[in-house]
């Protein structure tokens, strides 16, 4: 948080908003559905690719702001399993831009102590993209600051299917398939996000009121913030507004008093 205040001009609106944020009640994990690149470009009579390219600046600023705020995790929805329905040329542009992003931003990620990871069916990516992505992930593996999960070829349903299949395969290998009994912790520990706390705040840009197959399991009790701002226009100030809005929410997790965690609200597991 201090690292953020340092870079904000005294008297600016950003500084005022940041000053109003309670550093003790920051969301540990923010997840973002980065939507509206195509509409951003259309409004400017530009090709959709120009919107995707402009979206990179928003990614850079968001990652840096989350790192300076001291958040634990940021998950960015970059490409869904359904996005393969788009024209080949657009999909190819997205892969090209991902590679440009990784090459250009890696030094910045390292500087901010960011640990990068990728979630999704990475086996479905073009080989060169997957290799570059995994190399970037590897080079940040020892970093201990903000964890940035890039959701690529990601689907929430696909993730659940993959988790259950992984569990079945493990039990089969151990010869315990017959007695396998699933519980929430077992499923959560086999998701791509195993070990990362669930998102506290889910942001969607471009005004769409849907989750589009994003983190279906993990967003069970996320606070949802939808802004009309299109992703390429999303700036530090928009993130600060989202966090301030989040801090006004009364998170009850099914109880009647604010502040109770999800775990505390769950009944004791049945055998
Ligand atoms: C989000 O912007 C980026 C990706 C899904 C890859 P869109 O490309 O969906 O932009 P709109 O929704 O058409 O404006
Ligand atoms: C969701 O946006 C996926 C990403 C942001 C990567 P879409 O633009 O694909 O979602 P829909 O089609 O509007 O639901
Ligand atoms: Mg869209």
């Amino acid at each position: 948080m201090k690292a953020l205040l340092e870079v904000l001009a005294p008297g600016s609106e950003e500084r005022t908003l940041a000053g109003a944020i309670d550093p003790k009640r920051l969301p540990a994990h923010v997840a973002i559905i980065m939507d509206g690149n195509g509409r951003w470009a259309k409004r400017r009579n530009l090709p959709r690719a120009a919107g995707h390219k402009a979206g990179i600046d928003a990614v850079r600023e968001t990652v840096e702001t989350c790192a300076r705020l001291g958040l634990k995790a940021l998950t960015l929805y970059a490409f869904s399993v359904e996005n393969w329905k788009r024209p080949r040329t657009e999909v190819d542009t997205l892969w090209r831009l991902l590679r440009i992003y990784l090459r250009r931003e890696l030094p910045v990620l390292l500087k901010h102590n960011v640990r990068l990871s990728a979630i999704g069916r990475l086996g479905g990516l073009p080989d060169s993209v997957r290799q570059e992505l995994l190399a970037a992930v590897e080079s940040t593996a020892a970093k201990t600051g903000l964890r940035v999960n890039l959701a690529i070829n990601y689907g929430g349903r696909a993730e659940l299917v993959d988790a259950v299949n992984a569990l079945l395969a493990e039990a089969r290998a151990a010869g315990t398939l017959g007695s396998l009994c699933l519980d929430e912790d077992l499923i959560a520990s086999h998701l791509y996000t195993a070990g990362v706390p669930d998102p506290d705040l889910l942001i969607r840009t471009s005004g769409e009121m849907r989750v589009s197959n994003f983190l279906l399991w993990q967003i069970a009790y996320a606070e949802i913030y939808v802004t009309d701002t299109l992703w390429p226009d999303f700036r530090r100030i928009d993130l600060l507004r989202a966090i301030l809005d989040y801090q006004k929410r009364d998170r009850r997790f099914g109880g009647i008093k604010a502040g109770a965690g999800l775990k505390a609200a769950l009944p004791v597991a049945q055998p």
Side-chain angles (χ1 to χ4, degrees):
M1 184 82 205
K2 222 176 109 245
L4 177 66
L5 294 176
E6 271 167 16
V7 295
L8 302 178
S12 64
E13 192 185 353
E14 280 183 328
R15 181 68 182 72
T16 308
L17 290 175
I21 290 176
D22 177 354
K24 290 193 291 297
R25 290 174 48 246
L26 285 169
H29 182 177
V30 173
I32 307 184
I33 303 175
M34 309 184 290
D35 197 15
N37 295 353
R39 278 162 283 170
W40 184 94
K42 194 167 179 218
R43 282 186 197 171
R44 288 163 177 76
N45 282 317
L46 294 169
R48 292 178 58 84
H52 296 312
K53 188 158 174 275
I56 291 183
D57 295 335
V59 173
R60 178 188 309 117
E61 191 157 324
T62 301
V63 168
E64 184 177 343
T65 307
C66 289
R68 287 186 182 278
L69 275 164
L71 305 191
K72 285 195 169 49
L74 169 69
T75 300
L76 298 171
Y77 203 5
F79 190 90
S80 74
V81 288
E82 285 82 23
N83 286 148
W84 291 104
K85 291 178 193 159
R86 296 185 181 202
R88 174 74 197 267
T89 48
E90 177 164 345
V91 172
D92 286 347
T93 296
L94 289 166
W95 299 141
R96 193 170 51 77
L97 289 171
L98 174 61
R99 295 176 74 181
I100 290 173
Y101 171 79
L102 293 172
R103 268 177 228 162
R104 203 197 285 160
E105 296 304 315
L106 200 55
V108 185
L109 298 179
L110 292 167
K111 180 182 136 207
H112 286 291
N113 197 23
V114 166
R115 180 173 159 205
L116 190 67
S117 70
I119 59 171
R121 287 187 168 163
L122 305 184
L125 300 183
D127 287 344
S128 56
V129 177
R130 187 179 54 253
Q131 280 157 15
E132 207 152 325
L133 181 62
L134 295 178
V137 166
E138 182 59 36
S139 63
T140 66
K143 294 296 176 188
T144 54
L146 176 72
R147 162 105 170 226
V148 173
N149 302 310
L150 291 181
I152 300 174
N153 198 19
Y154 175 89
R157 289 184 172 187
E159 180 180 31
L160 282 165
V161 168
D162 290 352
V164 173
N165 278 328
L167 275 160
L168 292 175
E170 272 174 28
R172 219 176 276 123
T176 55
L177 193 56
S179 59
L180 178 64
C181 179
L182 299 181
D183 62 31
E184 295 193 5
D185 287 341
L186 203 52
I187 291 179
S189 66
H190 285 75
L191 296 173
Y192 309 141
T193 55
V196 181
D198 287 341
D200 301 293
L201 172 61
L202 171 68
I203 298 174
R204 184 163 187 155
T205 56
S206 87
E208 305 290 2
M209 300 282 188
R210 54 179 174 265
V211 294
S212 301
N213 203 9
F214 190 41
L215 302 176
L216 297 181
W217 174 280
Q218 298 89 333
I219 61 171
Y221 270 98
E223 295 298 326
I224 300 176
Y225 180 86
V226 176
T227 170
D228 285 336
T229 301
L230 303 175
W231 179 250
D233 291 327
F234 192 85
R235 284 294 167 274
R236 187 157 60 194
I237 196 160
D238 301 291
L239 182 64
L240 297 176
R241 287 194 181 112
I243 292 176
L244 275 170
D245 196 83
Y246 163 83
Q247 292 195 332
K248 289 192 208 119
R249 309 284 179 91
D250 188 7
R251 301 186 79 192
R252 292 185 295 274
F253 298 94
I256 47 178
K257 275 208 298 266
L262 177 56
K263 280 281 170 203
L266 288 174
V268 175
Q270 296 299 308

